[in-house]
Amino acid sequence: MKRFFTLITLFVSTVAMWGQTYDMTIKLNDGRILKFPTTDVAEVTFDISGTNAKNWAMPNLNFGKEAEYVIGSAEPNETTRTAEVTVAAEARNLTYTYFFDADYNYKYAKLVFSSDDERLAYESYLTEEGFTKETASSTTDYIYRNTAKKLVAFIHNTYAEGEATTMGEKYVIIGAEDETIASWTRTTSLKGTAAIYVPFFGKGASKEMMWHFENRSGNTLVANDAANARGVYRFNTTDSRWKMTRYWFDAKTKNFLEEVAIYCDASNRPTPAEVAEYLASQGFAQTGLKDGSSDVIYYNSQLKIAAFVTMSIPENAGSDFMPSIQFSHVNLDAQLPPEKVILPWPVTEYNKLTIAEAIDAYKQKPYFKNYKDLGGGLHQIDTSSPDFPVILLLEEGGKYLAALVGSPNVLTLSSPHLPAIFTENGYEKYTDDKLAFDTYVNWTEDKEIQVCTSDLFDMGIFFIVFEPNERKKN
């Protein structure tokens, strides 16, 4: 492509018209200076075809890989989790900053421009590389997306409000295209039921990614120097229902994102069903745990994210109280029942088999490992199940009376998987306020199950009791 600079041509023509001769000076990139008498110049043409790509180069695009794979033996800065990397373009070298998470997995690359012309030229380069510019949702942040390569680029052409960087700094951020809840490069709000949404929540992400997400959303930073110094930031939103977002960064460096929250109008709270529906759509399940206000805690066990739903309005709440949903990167696995368990189903022919016949039947089970006679009418079967490693057999008058399937972890007995297993085997939940433990009955076979969450024998083992039915239909 050739561009003709008519202003210079006009100047040349005008000078010639006056009958005077001047030197035209051109300074080249290599430092040489060329001079021409203006009477010898009829037209000035600059040929810039093919030069854009020579000035630019992509950073390493192996996002998600470990630092060693991306930058070799170089060590990222521990305070910022970044590394300066020189990338060679055909015409010059570029310095990208690579950002890593707490496990030093590569998250995104940033390149700062020296001028607005450079920013515009890089945008043209992105187009050449297969990126498409999306409709601008912000006057300061533009999104370019390469869906074929699953990449996204953010062009920033001025400072974001509250951003601790040089006023007017312009740069590009390139990362993996990822619209999941904890992504560092998420561009969507994931808005759903009752207009609930999740603010930017990249685990350990940098402040600039938070600022740009909020900036693209049209939200406004609430100035509070004291809170900001602690790594806490609030933004007023443009939403009439969910009015505010808040971010908490780590206490040590104030650089890495740990928690976020959205706050709603107290007079327009979502219902518990709406909250449950939305959180379920994002992979959260109700835990049964409650916080100090007796509000419900939800948990995404795959991503290790807890959602603390604070919708109850305290009696002494002021007029400025705002119900909220707070999201935190926290591992609650040790405090929660396992989602799946391996239950070694016992022999259930009570009062029909002798204890010897029952033991022989257990020895045929695929989970059987060992047998012990404990005396006093108790017999122990060791199983291969990691969840229920032991079964106690009860004997009375030489007959097999019942089976107690045991786990050393009381949380295992609260697994949501167990009721499904009971249902598959013909049992249904039996409701009776007088019963201390959850009870399930198979009316067809006249058998029952009790889930005993107390240590019946002071053995440090908690049992599911399989025995003949003692209930009557309500």
Side-chain angles (χ1 to χ4, degrees):
M1 177 179 66
K2 294 186 177 181
R3 293 181 182 171
F4 299 90
F5 291 77
T6 56
L7 181 61
I8 297 176
T9 306
L10 180 60
F11 169 76
V12 172
S13 302
T14 303
V15 169
M17 216 169 37
W18 290 341
Q20 301 179 40
T21 302
Y22 294 92
D23 280 339
M24 179 176 181
T25 302
I26 298 177
K27 186 176 181 180
L28 304 180
N29 286 332
D30 60 7
R32 289 181 298 153
I33 296 177
L34 304 179
K35 293 185 178 181
F36 304 92
T38 54
T39 53
D40 294 342
V41 179
E43 186 178 80
V44 178
T45 303
F46 292 87
D47 186 354
I48 60 171
S49 59
T51 61
N52 193 42
K54 294 179 181 179
N55 288 325
W56 305 107
M58 281 286 164
N60 190 308
L61 299 178
N62 290 294
F63 302 110
K65 295 288 187 180
E66 295 179 354
E68 184 178 2
Y69 184 90
V70 177
I71 59 175
S73 59
E75 292 289 336
N77 182 300
E78 291 186 2
T79 303
T80 60
R81 297 176 188 161
T82 63
E84 301 291 322
V85 178
T86 299
V87 177
E90 187 174 339
R92 60 173 178 164
N93 289 332
L94 305 170
T95 300
Y96 279 92
T97 303
Y98 290 1
F99 287 73
F100 301 87
D101 64 13
D103 297 320
Y104 289 98
N105 296 312
Y106 181 35
K107 305 304 290 186
Y108 70 88
K110 174 183 177 182
L111 176 67
V112 177
F113 303 125
S114 61
S115 67
D116 201 46
D117 287 340
E118 279 206 338
R119 189 262 302 177
L120 290 169
Y122 199 94
E123 290 192 53
S124 297
Y125 171 64
L126 286 174
T127 302
E128 294 173 12
E129 290 294 312
F131 287 77
T132 301
K133 185 177 182 179
E134 296 188 350
T135 303
S137 58
S138 164
T139 59
T140 60
D141 287 275
Y142 308 134
I143 299 172
Y144 282 79
R145 202 179 297 275
N146 187 324
T147 53
K149 295 183 179 179
K150 298 187 183 306
L151 298 172
V152 64
F154 306 96
I155 292 285
H156 179 59
N157 68 2
T158 187
Y159 79 105
E161 184 178 1
E163 184 179 357
T165 186
T166 304
M167 190 76 77
E169 188 174 74
K170 307 167 193 300
Y171 50 83
V172 63
I173 287 172
I174 300 178
E177 185 182 45
D178 181 0
E179 295 298 327
T180 56
I181 187 173
S183 166
W184 283 39
T185 54
R186 175 161 61 92
T187 61
T188 59
S189 65
L190 303 177
K191 185 172 291 188
T193 309
I196 304 171
Y197 70 98
V198 182
F200 176 73
F201 197 37
K203 182 180 181 181
S206 61
K207 280 183 280 191
E208 67 185 356
M209 299 304 285
M210 168 203 71
W211 276 313
H212 298 324
F213 185 93
E214 290 291 318
N215 193 44
R216 289 193 303 271
S217 301
N219 299 337
T220 306
L221 178 72
V222 178
N224 187 326
D225 292 342
N228 298 166
R230 300 194 308 271
V232 181
Y233 299 85
R234 288 187 300 149
F235 292 84
N236 287 330
T237 76
T238 57
D239 192 283
S240 61
R241 186 174 194 178
W242 298 93
K243 293 180 172 293
M244 187 177 73
T245 61
R246 180 178 290 185
Y247 294 84
W248 289 264
F249 287 77
D250 71 296
K252 182 179 180 181
T253 71
K254 318 298 188 298
N255 289 331
F256 312 119
L257 183 60
E258 292 186 341
E259 298 184 17
V260 301
I262 53 172
Y263 296 81
C264 73
D265 184 343
S267 64
N268 196 11
R269 290 175 294 167
T271 66
E274 288 173 331
V275 172
E277 180 182 345
Y278 176 74
L279 291 176
S281 74
Q282 299 301 321
F284 289 82
Q286 191 169 325
T287 64
L289 300 176
K290 296 181 182 294
D291 64 9
S293 302
S294 297
D295 284 303
V296 180
I297 299 174
Y298 288 78
Y299 187 57
N300 184 317
S301 59
Q302 181 179 357
L303 298 177
K304 312 305 178 196
I305 297 174
F308 301 86
V309 179
T310 307
M311 289 292 152
S312 300
I313 301 178
E315 292 182 4
N316 59 347
S319 59
D320 59 344
F321 174 79
M322 299 177 71
S324 67
I325 302 176
Q326 183 166 332
F327 299 89
S328 177
H329 289 287
V330 58
N331 191 335
L332 296 180
D333 289 352
Q335 303 176 51
L336 298 174
E339 292 186 4
K340 296 287 185 180
V341 294
I342 298 175
L343 177 66
W345 195 261
V347 175
T348 58
E349 281 74 31
Y350 321 117
N351 294 319
K352 294 181 181 178
L353 302 178
T354 65
I355 192 63
E357 290 172 334
I359 292 168
D360 285 340
Y362 276 101
K363 289 180 178 180
Q364 304 307 310
K365 295 288 186 181
Y367 56 73
F368 176 82
K369 288 183 64 177
N370 191 33
Y371 163 72
K372 297 176 186 176
D373 185 345
L374 302 179
L378 283 176
H379 304 262
Q380 180 174 320
I381 302 293
D382 296 328
T383 83
S384 58
S385 168
D387 304 303
F388 296 93
V390 63
I391 302 176
L392 295 184
L393 315 183
L394 302 186
E395 172 192 357
E396 184 176 355
K399 290 286 188 178
Y400 173 51
L401 182 63
L404 286 71
V405 181
S407 172
N409 184 358
V410 68
L411 290 174
T412 302
L413 275 66
S414 297
S415 170
H417 191 199
L418 286 174
I421 295 175
F422 300 154
T423 299
E424 290 172 2
N425 285 275
Y427 290 76
E428 63 181 61
K429 183 75 177 289
Y430 182 81
T431 55
D432 187 338
D433 294 340
K434 297 179 181 179
L435 292 176
F437 304 114
D438 286 347
T439 301
Y440 298 80
V441 176
N442 184 322
W443 299 107
T444 302
E445 298 181 3
D446 205 25
K447 301 169 184 176
E448 77 173 50
I449 296 171
Q450 281 201 322
V451 182
C452 300
T453 51
S454 61
D455 188 354
L456 298 176
F457 302 104
D458 293 325
M459 298 171 59
I461 299 178
F462 304 88
F463 292 98
I464 300 175
V465 179
F466 292 76
E467 60 186 343
N469 178 35
E470 299 178 357
R471 315 295 154 199
K472 294 182 179 179
K473 283 192 175 184
N474 295 327

